């Protein structure tokens, strides 16, 4: 995947590879010392039923999507489901 500036990700919608709109990018977690990206933190859509989502969640109910599941970044951030 080509390089994408973090500022271009702010406020992007996140979609599953199956076409499900998951929500909006809330944050990205990193390893401080190495700068390695870990997870996308997604604020879920209100109408999205949680039982259909197979991602871990944080204490606030946001999805934690491992960075290795990102497939494309264009109009949406597309993640493998």
């Amino acid at each position: 995947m080509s390089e994408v500036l973090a500022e271009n990700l702010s406020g992007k919608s996140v979609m599953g590879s199956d076409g499900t709109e998951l929500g909006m990018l809330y944050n990205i977690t990193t390893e401080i010392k190495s700068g390695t990206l870990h997870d996308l933190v997604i604020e879920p859509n209100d109408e999205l039923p949680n039982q259909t989502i197979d991602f871990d969640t944080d204490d606030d109910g946001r999805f934690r999507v491992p960075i290795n599941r990102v497939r494309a970044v264009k109009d949406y951030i597309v993640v493998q489901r």
Side-chain angles (χ1 to χ4, degrees):
M1 190 162 73
S2 64
E3 289 184 20
V4 177
L5 295 176
E7 68 184 34
N8 294 334
L9 298 177
S10 179
K12 275 226 188 262
S13 294
V14 181
M15 178 182 288
S17 55
D18 62 355
T20 303
E21 289 194 37
L22 300 173
M24 298 289 282
L25 180 65
Y26 178 78
N27 206 348
I28 300 172
T29 63
T30 63
E31 168 58 45
I32 299 283
K33 291 182 182 180
S34 68
T36 303
L37 301 178
H38 281 276
D39 299 307
L40 299 180
V41 181
I42 311 301
E43 183 72 46
N45 286 339
D46 291 335
E47 63 276 356
L48 189 66
N50 285 339
Q51 67 270 18
T52 64
I53 305 304
D54 59 347
F55 298 119
D56 291 336
T57 57
D58 65 12
D59 293 340
D60 296 315
R62 295 182 187 107
F63 303 130
R64 296 181 65 92
V65 180
I67 202 72
N68 65 356
R69 296 188 61 181
V70 173
R71 297 296 172 243
V73 178
K74 302 252 185 206
D75 294 334
Y76 288 87
I77 299 170
V78 179
V79 296
Q80 182 64 41
R81 293 231 17 229

